[in-house]
Amino acid sequence: MSNNSLAPSAALVASVKTPARPEVYDTAAIQKLDTAHYMHPFTDHKALGEKGARVMVRGEGIYLWDSQGKKVLDGMSGLWCVNVGYGRTSISEAVYRQMETLPFYNSFFNTTNIPAVELAAKLVKISPPQFNHVYFTGSGSEGNDTNLRMVRRYWDVLGYKERHTIISRHNAYHGSTVAGASLGGMDGMHAQGGLPIPGIVHIGQPNYLESGRGMTEDEFGIEAASWLEKKILEVGPDKVAAFIGEPIQGAGGVIIPPATYWPEIQRICDKYAILLIADEVICGFGRLGKWFASELFGIKPDLITFAKGVTSGYVPLGGVLVGDRVADVLIEKGGEFNHGFTYSGHPVACAAALENIRILEDEKLVERVGNETGPYLKKRFAELADHPLVGYADSCGFVAGLNLVRVKGTTVHENVPFDEEKAVGMVCRGYMFNNGMIMRAVGDRMIIAPPLVMTCAQIDEMVALIRHCLDLTYADLQQRGWL
Ligand SMILES: *Cc1c(COP(=O)(O)O)cnc(C)c1O
């Protein structure tokens, strides 16, 4: 290893076969520099500094390798994004070719670039029929900032200058910019920096476990949607611009709403002519077995936020699919929309997205999740509910979650949870992490969102790993006297 770089020499890397050899990397030195200079997102640095970060160095398919040569099954697709899996040479080549030809040009001053044009046309083709326009951003957060400005602009242009309030939900995640975090419903984020900004209000989430006691799932879906109408009437229908929601809440803990919820939300939005924004940053691009989850839930949003799976995370890209209702007004009557980013329609990101979508299409990954691997995951994942720690397990397409409980009741509402301070989810996550499985903990709910390339055999492997780690967690909790 050279003295002035932490990166191993090219020759050494070339010689590294799976699994990566630990002696190639000076893990302690990387961790030390990491702690000294790199501020991570959503991280308690004092705590991280004491342990040191795990250094990921390589990925292939659904697996990752860290700097110590340990192989991990990535049950989270990076961060809900690596839909086509790691190590796709054709994406790297598409990116390289584009960088060689035209690494960057802007789309501000009556100029455009070919990958952005092609990608916009492609997205229109694979999205629901009401979408004929695309607004590109650099991330999902910027996509939702764009939504906020766009829906207010829409009502302004039509002469309804009072219609500026956006209704969202508690425990929603819509990104980390000021507008994104305000639209989101994360208490921890609102507690820092004086959020939410004015003109954004929140209603309850359709979380059957938390709020559905005494109701069937279908009854609860209607009840949870009625909170929207209540809020509209409270704010005043002539003041509400839009409702925003993730079809399935991701970061909030894979909250899968009852089947009755979204159609009722759609009905209420229609009744008051309120714009519907579907934040499909996670749910889009095949995650739920359809190109867009709006198709699955039978809704017709006016705007769809996308990011993550559009490039499988290989390079950053986000944006908004703009439905005809909004696009027609902005284009025909709006004049200039004073909004945009240096990297809107970045040619390299768009080239990566085009190749990513080609892979999803050619390998029929969306259909496979919809018809084959998604249903198989549902069946295998549901079996985990027989584990003594698991009070509830559900899934949809390629997202799934299970709840760790102290005592299992006869119905899900009679389960007895652990004390929150015990952070049992983090104990479980630790066992997963140290035994080759990445599964995320949201409180005591353990969640996955695997790469769409995962096969049925790999689902078996993953479920076995999860069960093994649940056993280890169970034994540990018994020893602590927590059971
Ligand atoms: C990740 C995420 C975002 C934010 O995307 P970034 O690219 O991190 O800005 C927005 N909405 C949802 C639903 C997300 O999961």
Side-chain angles (χ1 to χ4, degrees):
M1 181 176 251
S2 73
N3 290 330
N4 52 11
S5 168
L6 292 170
S9 74
L12 210 41
V13 169
S15 77
V16 172
K17 295 266 175 352
T18 304
R21 296 205 321 261
E23 63 270 28
V24 171
Y25 300 95
D26 187 344
T27 300
I30 298 168
Q31 287 173 330
K32 198 167 154 226
L33 263 195
D34 178 66
T35 298
H37 303 300
Y38 179 20
M39 291 187 85
H40 297 215
F42 286 95
T43 295
D44 176 341
H45 278 86
K46 213 165 178 185
L48 179 69
E50 282 156 18
K51 287 187 307 189
R54 186 172 194 170
V55 185
M56 295 302 187
V57 294
R58 205 172 83 76
E60 186 67 43
I62 65 166
Y63 302 103
L64 293 162
W65 283 266
D66 70 14
S67 58
Q68 297 182 311
K70 276 202 182 137
K71 180 183 174 185
V72 223
L73 194 162
D74 184 8
M76 280 306 298
S77 304
L79 202 55
W80 320 86
C81 53
V82 188
N83 289 10
V84 298
Y86 298 95
R88 292 291 191 153
T89 308
S90 68
I91 300 182
S92 340
E93 285 169 353
V95 162
Y96 177 78
R97 272 198 310 275
Q98 187 55 45
M99 280 195 171
E100 287 281 285
T101 319
L102 180 72
F104 175 74
Y105 198 72
N106 72 72
S107 303
F108 279 52
F109 311 114
N110 295 336
T111 52
T112 192
N113 70 77
I114 295 167
V117 174
E118 283 184 348
L119 180 59
K122 184 76 202 176
L123 292 174
V124 163
K125 208 170 262 175
I126 62 175
S127 62
Q130 70 271 29
F131 294 103
N132 286 292
H133 293 87
V134 184
Y135 198 101
F136 289 116
T137 69
S139 68
S141 302
E142 289 173 8
N144 283 325
D145 271 60
T146 300
N147 279 328
L148 177 128
R149 300 203 60 209
M150 203 178 259
V151 299
R152 288 180 175 175
R153 177 73 190 145
Y154 167 85
W155 288 112
D156 282 352
V157 170
L158 287 177
Y160 297 88
K161 301 206 187 266
E162 297 269 280
R163 273 189 104 129
H164 271 203
T165 299
I166 301 173
I167 302 178
S168 179
R169 302 176 299 179
H170 296 301
N171 200 35
Y173 188 78
H174 296 301
S176 201
T177 52
V178 169
S182 295
L183 289 167
M186 298 289 175
D187 293 339
M189 295 175 80
H190 289 176
Q192 299 177 349
L195 302 182
I197 55 172
I200 297 173
V201 295
H202 297 81
I203 60 172
Q205 56 178 334
N207 185 333
Y208 181 62
L209 282 191
E210 198 177 272
S211 315
R213 185 183 278 270
M215 283 177 260
T216 65
E217 285 204 54
D218 281 355
E219 286 166 357
F220 174 68
I222 300 290
E223 163 75 11
S226 79
W227 302 334
L228 173 59
E229 186 156 24
K230 232 178 251 159
K231 185 58 87 177
I232 292 169
L233 295 173
E234 181 190 315
V235 174
D238 53 347
K239 295 207 168 54
V240 180
F243 173 74
I244 183 169
E246 303 153 83
I248 289 177
Q249 289 155 259
V254 181
I255 313 295
I256 303 172
T260 49
Y261 179 76
W262 277 111
E264 183 64 5
I265 290 284
Q266 177 76 65
R267 190 190 65 76
I268 294 165
C269 287
D270 290 346
K271 181 173 169 188
Y272 297 97
I274 287 163
L275 294 167
L276 176 57
I277 308 167
D279 183 343
E280 297 222 22
V281 169
I282 286 174
C283 295
F285 297 93
R287 171 77 32 213
L288 304 185
K290 301 267 185 206
W291 281 97
F292 293 94
S294 297
E295 305 163 56
L296 185 70
F297 291 111
I299 52 173
K300 199 167 166 277
D302 300 294
L303 299 153
I304 287 181
T305 327
F306 64 89
K308 296 191 171 119
V310 66
T311 56
S312 281
Y314 278 59
V315 284
L317 178 69
V320 176
L321 299 176
V322 186
D324 293 341
R325 179 177 167 197
V326 174
D328 289 351
V329 168
L330 291 186
I331 292 167
E332 293 306 320
K333 305 193 183 122
E336 183 172 329
F337 179 35
N338 297 319
H339 176 76
F341 303 98
T342 302
Y343 299 135
S344 292
H346 195 292
V348 173
C350 293
L354 282 164
E355 179 55 19
N356 175 59
I357 293 169
R358 188 201 62 75
I359 293 173
L360 288 168
E361 282 182 330
D362 283 8
E363 299 181 9
K364 300 199 169 14
L365 292 173
V366 181
E367 294 86 341
R368 207 170 94 185
V369 169
N371 305 325
E372 185 195 338
T373 48
Y376 188 69
L377 175 65
K378 190 174 199 69
K379 172 173 162 279
R380 293 300 330 268
F381 199 80
E383 290 166 20
L384 293 168
D386 70 13
H387 193 278
L389 266 186
V390 177
Y392 186 71
D394 61 345
S395 72
C396 178
F398 258 28
V399 295
L402 57 83
N403 292 62
L404 304 175
V405 298
R406 190 163 64 79
V407 183
K408 287 164 75 154
T410 45
T411 70
V412 292
H413 293 115
E414 280 153 19
N415 289 332
V416 184
F418 291 97
D419 295 337
E420 216 172 298
E421 323 83 72
K422 291 200 158 79
V424 165
M426 293 305 284
V427 175
C428 183
R429 193 190 77 157
Y431 279 107
M432 299 280 175
F433 207 57
N434 293 326
N435 286 277
M437 172 71 205
I438 292 183
M439 193 171 192
R440 183 163 159 184
V442 179
D444 289 348
R445 185 157 162 88
M446 306 299 300
I447 59 174
I448 51 166
L452 309 189
V453 289
M454 182 176 269
T455 62
C456 289
Q458 288 171 330
I459 290 172
D460 290 339
E461 177 190 335
M462 176 176 71
V463 171
L465 248 175
I466 293 173
R467 189 176 283 279
H468 173 61
C469 295
L470 287 171
D471 288 343
L472 294 172
T473 307
Y474 189 78
D476 183 331
L477 299 181
Q478 251 180 342
Q479 203 146 42
R480 296 183 197 211
W482 290 2
L483 282 168

